[in-house]
Each structure stands twice: as C-alpha cells, then as structure tokens.
C-alpha cells in the first residue's frame, strides 16, 4: 500500500513540475525502460526468497546475449539464438546455485566469482568489441509492438504472470518459501533443498539472459559491457518492494512497484534536467526515504525494529 | 666541470627507445609509424619494442633500453602503476622518459603527450553549432560525471556553446559513456523536449544509443555528434546517421613524442604536458 502511495506521490510531484510527464507516451516509455531491469529483478526476488543473492546477473546478461548474437550472425536461426541465450543464462545461474547448494559456499561469494568470470568470458569472447546488426526477427523482443504495447512490457508482464503462478500456486513455490523461511526444517521434512536452491539460481540466470535479449533488440547490439550495475538496480528494486534478506517473505508485485519507482525517478531526473552530479544523490535518497517510510508504516524489517 | 650536463653536449644524431603497449592494435601501430617517420626526419635512430600488453615484457624492454644507454625513452605504458619501477631505473641511469597516450603513476617523467579532450569537445561543439545554423536547441549527453574525459570534453563543448547566444542547451544529462543508458536517457529527454536540433555526446556509445532512440521515436532532423571514432560510429557517419565524431590522432602522438624528445635533448625547454590535437571525422 505504501508503495502505491510513493508511486502516486512521485507521479503527482513530477506532473506538477513538468506537465509532459503525465502523457500516455511517457508512461509507456517508463514501463518499457523498466521492463529490462524488471525481468532481472523478478528473478532476483526468487533468489532473495531462498536467502540468496545474485551479483552475476549483469555479467550473465552480457555473456548470454553475446553468445546468442554471434551464433545468429554465423547463420543460426533467430529462435535458436534465443534458446541458446536462455541456456547459457541457465547454465551460469545453475553453476552458481550448485556451488551454493552442494558446497555450502555463501551466495555473495559464489555470485561475485561468477560476476567476474562471466564478464571476463564475455570480454575474451569478442576481444572487447560489440556485435551489431541483426535481422528484425531477432530484435523483436526489444523493438516489437503487440497492438499498442511494446514487446518489452509484454515480456515483463508474462514473466510476472508465470512466476506468480509458480510461486503462489505450485509445489515448487511452496517449497521455495519454506526453504527460505527455515532451510533446516525444510531439510528435516526430506525436501531436496540443494536441488530447489539450484533451480532458483538457474531461473535467475535464465531471466538475466531474457533481459539481455530484450536489451540486444533495443540497441541492435550485443556488448561485453552490457548490464554493468544491473545487480544493484535489481537488488534495490527487490528491497524497495519489501522482500526480506532473511528469506521466505516477499512478493513479486512489491518488486514490480520497486522497479517502477526506480524507473519513474530516472525519467523524472532526465525530464526535469537535474544536474548529473545530483542524479545519484537523488536516486539514493528516494530509496532511503521510501524504506524509512515503509518501516514507519510497518511491514518491513525496519518496522519490526525495537527502535 | 659544469659541462658534464649530458643533454646539451649531444650532437646531431640520437638514439631513442620506444616501448609500445601492444602492436596488435592498429591504434598503436599507427602511433609507432608516426614515431618512426618523425625520427627519420630528425636523423635519429629509433629502437622499437612491443610489450604485447604484458607489464613484465614492458619492464624487460625498458631494461634493455637502459643497458643500450639510449638518449631518451618514449613509453606507452600497459599499466600506469607497473611501469613505475622501470621509469625509476631510467631516472637513476639519467635517461629522460616521456610517456605517450597513457601516463605513469610515478617516477620522473619529462613530458606526457596525449590527446586534448578539451579541444576535442570544443571542436565538436563548434561543428554542431555550424551544422544547425548557429541557433536552436541542443542536448548534451554527459559521460560518467567526475571522470577527466567527461570533465574536459564537457568543458570544451560548453566553451564552444558560449560563442552562440542563439543556441539553447535544453538538457544536459548523464549517460555514463554507455549505449544502453544513453538510449534510455535520450528517450526521456525526447519526451520532455518537443524540439531538438542537435545532440553532442561525450562518447560514441551514448550517441549511438541516442540515434537508436530517435529512430524508434520517429524523430527526424536531429544533428548528432559523437566522440572517439569507434568502428560503429565511423560506419554511422558513412551511413549519414551521425554528422561527425572526434578522432584521436595516434600518428601525431608518435611524431610529437619524437619531436619533443629531440627538442629536449637539444636543450630546449618543453612543457610537462603536451596535448595532441584531435580530428573531426565527417562524411
């Protein structure tokens, strides 16, 4: 509820300061821009639900889209390129998840390692150069329209819908939440905890790859430096959305709203032409203020603090 | 007794050493060729080493040059820190060191010769202003705020804009030298600004993102100017999508390095920092 209020408040403020903010075109623009980080953040929500974190999402995005891009340029059909990207993403995530789940290494360390490894591999793979110029079919995830809605938004909504069903109405979702709430108890009930944990990281990797395909379509280029910093954007959105680092509790809808808040802030900064030096300050303060408000009004970890 | 000061006594022909970070990259090959040509003009001997982007190889190349007792060493460091011990060795041997394109974090360097980003920003701004007829609305896409490239290119651009009172800078936003962010930021600016005549971006990545955003939004007639002359941008210039991009001149860096080393050896004063002019690439 508080998130809806923050969004309404931000929109109201921006409309007063610059009436052009509240045009259908600009709102679609914000949604489209938010959808890439949004897909990544939805995967991150699941990872944080099992008490994990995935710092490798940006690097995985870059590596998977580069491999798909070079395959398509070598003559692989576009749909094959898409599946290849998703497979690379799932493998990167699956490796991280496997090391976390079976070897017991903390996710922060494992995914930090994957972050460097995948980024390095992406740079090595192309010698640092971008790959550009693709057929329209391969780019449709980034540039297409379905009726009056840009495809990136449709992708975001579909990912949301599928994950919502999985998390709320499937055995998988139930198991994930119980692992996040209490992994030891989950073990005790005979659940295959490592397998579920691995599946969550693989899902996050696959969604990063999907986000990479949308980005590739938008830019008409796959770049080894793509997605740098996305891990922070995604984590910030998840935390804004009220998901707890202690696991088990959180909603996808909260993450969607977190992503939208970040998107609206960026759009507002550009539209109001705020000095670039203030940009990070503004962004940081909005996150801090929203979390403080969230804590005061209950629901978040801060709300349960004795202070 | 005071006549021992070596540089003043050196006669006509000198031996110079040049260590290049890598000759696998056309940029540095061109730099080397510029240096070779200049040394022929000065009747100096030039010994060239390729460090193959390896700091250890660079260090041994520097040691070899010190052993050969060359008159001066020109170095294009692979790493600003790793090169310092080698420079200190040359300092102890009394051999003057010049850095080209990339600087060193320590040691005594006579002179650093590198591109003049400020002049490049000014050149880009002037060209943009001329292309839009000296009046109109202009957008600046800033690099990572606080970096020296963003600061220098931005300052040069603003200096140029100050000469045109009829040009209004309607937005100046950070695209972080990144194509993705450049595109997103320019999409947002397009929402706020119904009229845009020209865009200057602190690098080509951002300008390529901005061009994609303008194309997707169906906004035509905007003049774009970028910086760096990367392959994609040069292609965009040829395709008429990008009006211009500012290129570094590696051959000039090489030749100016040799020219100044020779000047110094002849006893002339040279500044500690020599900016190399940039070149505008247009259709």
């Amino acid at each position: 509820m508080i998130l809806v209020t923050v969004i309404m408040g931000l929109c109201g403020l921006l409309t007063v300061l610059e009436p052009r903010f509240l045009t259908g075109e600009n709102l679609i623009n914000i949604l489209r821009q938010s959808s890439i980080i949004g897909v990544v953040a939805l995967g991150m929500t699941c990872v944080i639900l099992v008490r994990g974190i995935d710092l490798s999402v940006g690097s995985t995005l870059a590596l998977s889209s580069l491999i798909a891009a070079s395959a398509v340029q070598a003559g692989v059909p576009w749909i094959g390129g898409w599946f290849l990207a998703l497979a690379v993403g799932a493998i990167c995530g699956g490796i991280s998840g496997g090391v976390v789940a079976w070897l017991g290494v903390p996710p922060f360390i494992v995914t930090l390692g994957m972050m460097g490894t995948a980024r390095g591999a992406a740079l090595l793979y192309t010698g640092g150069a971008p790959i550009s110029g693709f057929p329209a079919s391969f780019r449709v995830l980034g540039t297409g329209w379905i009726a009056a809605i840009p495809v990136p938004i449709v992708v975001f909504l579909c990912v949301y819908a599928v994950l919502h069903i999985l998390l709320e109405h499937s055995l998988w979702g139930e198991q994930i939440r119980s692992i996040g709430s209490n992994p030891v108890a989950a073990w005790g009930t005979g659940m295959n905890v490592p397998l579920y944990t691995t599946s969550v990281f693989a899902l996050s990797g696959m969604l990063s790859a999907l986000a990479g395909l949308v980005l590739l379509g938008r830019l008409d280029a796959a770049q080894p430096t793509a997605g740098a910093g996305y891990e922070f954007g995604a984590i910030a959105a998840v935390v804004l959305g009220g998901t707890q680092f202690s696991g088990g509790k959180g909603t996808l809808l909260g993450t969607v709203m977190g992503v939208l808040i970040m998107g609206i802030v960026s759009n507002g900064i550009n539209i109001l032409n705020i000095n670039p030096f203030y940009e990070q300050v503004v962004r940081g303060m909005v996150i801090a203020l929203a979390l403080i408000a969230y804590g005061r009004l209950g629901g978040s970890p801060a709300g349960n603090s004795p202070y | 007794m005071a006549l021992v000061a070596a540089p003043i006594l050196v006669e006509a022909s000198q031996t110079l050493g040049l260590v290049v970070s890598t000759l696998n990259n056309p940029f540095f090959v061109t730099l080397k060729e510029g240096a070779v040509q200049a040394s022929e003009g000065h009747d100096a001997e030039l010994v060239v080493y390729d460090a193959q982007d390896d700091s250890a190889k660079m260090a041994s190349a520097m040691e070899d040059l010190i052993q050969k007792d060359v008159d001066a060493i020109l170095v294009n460091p692979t790493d600003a820190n790793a090169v310092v011990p080698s420079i200190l060795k040359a300092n102890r041997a009394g051999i003057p060191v010049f850095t080209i394109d990339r600087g060193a974090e320590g040691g005594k360097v006579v002179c650093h010769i590198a591109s003049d980003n400020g002049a490049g920003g000014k050149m880009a701004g002037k060209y943009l202003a001329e292309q839009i007829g000296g009046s109109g609305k202009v957008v600046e896409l800033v690099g990572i705020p606080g970096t020296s490239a963003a600061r220098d290119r931005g300052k040069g651009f603003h200096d140029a804009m100050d000469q045109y009172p009829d040009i209004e800078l309607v937005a100046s936003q950070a695209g972080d030298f990144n194509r993705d962010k450049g595109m997103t930021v320019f999409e947002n600016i397009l929402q706020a600004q119904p009229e845009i005549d020209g865009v200057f971006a602190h690098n080509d990545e951002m300008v390529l993102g901005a061009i994609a955003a303008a194309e997707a939004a169906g906004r035509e007639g905007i003049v774009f100017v970028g910086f760096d002359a990367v392959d994609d941008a040069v292609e965009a210039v040829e395709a008429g999508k990008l009006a211009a991009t500012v290129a570094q001149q590696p051959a000039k860096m090489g030749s100016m390095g040799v020219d100044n080393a020779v000047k110094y050896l002849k006893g002339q004063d040279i500044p500690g920092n020599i900016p190399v002019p940039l070149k505008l690439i247009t259709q």
Side-chain angles (χ1 to χ4, degrees):
Chain A
M1 207 51 222
I2 179 75
L3 289 174
V4 178
T5 319
V6 171
I7 291 178
M8 302 297 274
L10 271 174
C11 288
L13 178 71
L14 286 168
T15 309
V16 172
L17 294 172
E18 169 60 69
R20 282 179 202 281
F21 173 81
L22 204 65
T23 58
E25 211 183 322
N26 191 42
L27 297 180
I28 290 265
N29 184 39
I30 293 173
L31 279 172
R32 190 185 54 220
Q33 293 175 352
S34 302
S35 54
I36 296 177
I37 197 81
V39 169
V40 176
L42 288 172
M44 187 72 81
T45 310
C46 300
V47 172
I48 293 180
L49 275 177
V50 292
R51 299 188 174 190
I53 191 138
D54 189 350
L55 299 178
S56 69
V57 288
S59 311
T60 303
L61 177 157
L63 180 64
S64 53
S65 60
L66 270 179
I67 291 178
S70 65
V72 167
Q73 285 208 329
V76 172
W78 56 274
I79 190 99
W82 287 2
F83 278 111
L84 185 60
L86 297 180
V88 172
I91 291 169
C92 288
I95 292 173
S96 297
V99 174
V100 168
W102 274 288
L103 303 182
V105 186
F108 188 91
I109 306 297
V110 175
T111 58
L112 190 66
M114 180 58 77
M115 179 184 183
T117 310
R119 181 70 68 198
L123 286 162
L124 276 173
Y125 189 66
T126 61
I131 302 176
S132 56
F134 302 108
S137 49
F138 189 52
R139 295 182 60 194
V140 74
L141 286 176
T143 53
W145 292 75
I146 293 175
I149 306 171
V151 172
I153 299 178
V154 176
V155 171
F156 187 23
L157 290 176
C158 288
V159 169
Y160 173 76
V162 170
L163 282 188
H164 178 80
I165 292 168
L166 277 177
L167 268 185
E168 304 296 334
H169 304 286
S170 80
L171 180 66
W172 183 81
E174 209 175 289
Q175 312 279 54
I176 292 305
R177 280 184 192 279
S178 57
I179 291 171
S181 306
N182 193 338
V184 179
W187 257 118
T189 61
M191 198 186 291
N192 192 340
V193 175
L195 191 66
Y196 279 100
T197 308
T198 305
S199 74
V200 174
F201 279 86
L203 177 78
S204 165
M206 199 171 77
L207 290 177
S208 304
L210 179 60
L213 290 172
V214 176
L215 183 64
L216 179 154
R218 250 164 82 76
L219 296 173
D220 196 13
Q223 296 181 297
T225 52
Y230 276 28
E231 57 284 347
F232 298 113
I235 293 167
V238 173
V239 171
L240 260 182
T243 297
Q244 300 185 12
F245 273 119
S246 50
K249 284 192 190 122
T251 63
L252 295 169
L253 194 61
T255 297
V256 170
M257 290 199 247
V259 168
L260 289 181
I261 291 174
M262 306 284 285
I264 292 167
V265 169
S266 293
N267 180 268
I269 286 169
N270 295 150
I271 280 191
L272 299 177
N273 194 27
I274 291 171
N275 182 328
F277 288 116
Y278 288 123
E279 197 187 308
Q280 300 199 24
V281 178
V282 173
R283 200 167 285 145
M285 281 177 58
V286 167
I287 294 173
L289 288 176
L291 285 177
I292 290 166
Y294 203 38
R296 289 265 174 250
L297 297 170
S300 85
N304 303 330
S305 110
Y307 307 102
Chain B
M1 282 298 120
L3 291 177
V4 191
I8 304 166
L9 292 179
V10 172
E11 291 298 320
S13 136
Q14 286 111 1
T15 306
L16 307 176
L18 170 67
V19 190
V20 185
S21 60
T22 171
L23 291 178
N24 253 334
N25 178 332
F27 184 90
F28 297 114
V29 174
T30 316
L31 187 152
K32 181 206 82 179
E33 281 163 3
V36 168
Q37 250 176 10
S39 60
E40 283 165 3
H42 291 293
D43 197 24
E45 193 193 338
L46 186 74
V47 187
V48 182
Y49 286 117
D50 174 9
Q52 296 169 4
D53 263 340
D54 179 343
S55 293
K57 287 205 176 83
M58 174 154 279
S60 44
M62 296 274 285
E63 273 164 9
D64 289 353
L65 289 173
I66 295 166
Q67 286 304 314
K68 281 193 168 112
D69 200 22
V70 293
D71 296 301
I73 295 176
L74 305 166
V75 60
N76 158 239
T78 52
D79 183 297
N81 290 305
V83 77
V84 174
S86 305
I87 294 180
L88 290 172
K89 268 184 203 159
N91 290 159
R92 280 196 293 274
I95 301 173
V97 177
F98 298 74
T99 51
I100 304 183
D101 181 45
R102 300 185 195 143
E105 284 294 328
K108 194 170 148 266
V109 172
V110 175
C111 169
H112 178 56
I113 294 143
S115 285
D116 186 350
N117 278 311
K122 200 165 179 175
M123 189 189 281
K126 190 162 172 276
Y127 184 77
L128 181 63
E130 282 164 4
Q131 290 303 109
I132 62 171
S135 75
K137 297 189 170 177
V138 166
V139 171
E140 178 189 20
L141 291 175
V142 179
I144 296 171
T147 55
S148 68
R151 222 170 37 231
D152 296 346
R153 292 172 187 184
K155 180 169 183 311
F157 175 70
H158 285 269
D159 286 348
M161 287 299 113
D162 290 346
Q163 309 296 314
Y164 297 89
D166 294 334
I167 291 181
E168 190 192 349
L169 190 61
V170 290
S172 181
Q173 291 288 291
D176 294 354
F177 288 131
N178 175 310
R179 201 181 299 201
D180 169 18
K181 181 110 190 271
M183 182 181 191
T184 304
V185 164
F186 195 64
E187 279 173 346
N188 293 339
I189 295 171
L190 283 171
Q191 297 295 328
Q193 304 294 340
E195 196 195 319
I196 295 172
D197 301 299
V199 176
F200 168 62
H202 290 187
N203 82 344
D204 284 334
E205 287 298 326
M206 295 191 290
V207 92
L208 290 166
I211 290 172
E215 275 177 358
R219 293 274 283 265
E220 286 171 1
I222 302 175
V223 178
F224 292 95
V225 177
F227 210 115
D228 282 345
V230 301
D231 291 348
D232 281 3
V234 174
E235 266 173 45
V237 169
E238 279 161 12
K241 292 176 176 180
L242 181 61
T245 176
V246 180
Q248 297 195 57
Q249 302 200 71
K252 202 145 203 164
M253 281 185 200
S255 66
M256 284 174 76
V258 168
D259 290 348
N260 284 289
V262 170
K263 263 192 200 168
Y264 179 78
L265 292 173
K266 283 182 179 161
Q268 294 180 30
D269 271 346
I270 59 166
N273 218 320
I274 297 183
V276 180
L278 294 141
K279 188 174 77 182
L280 205 60
I281 296 190
T282 57
Q283 208 175 16

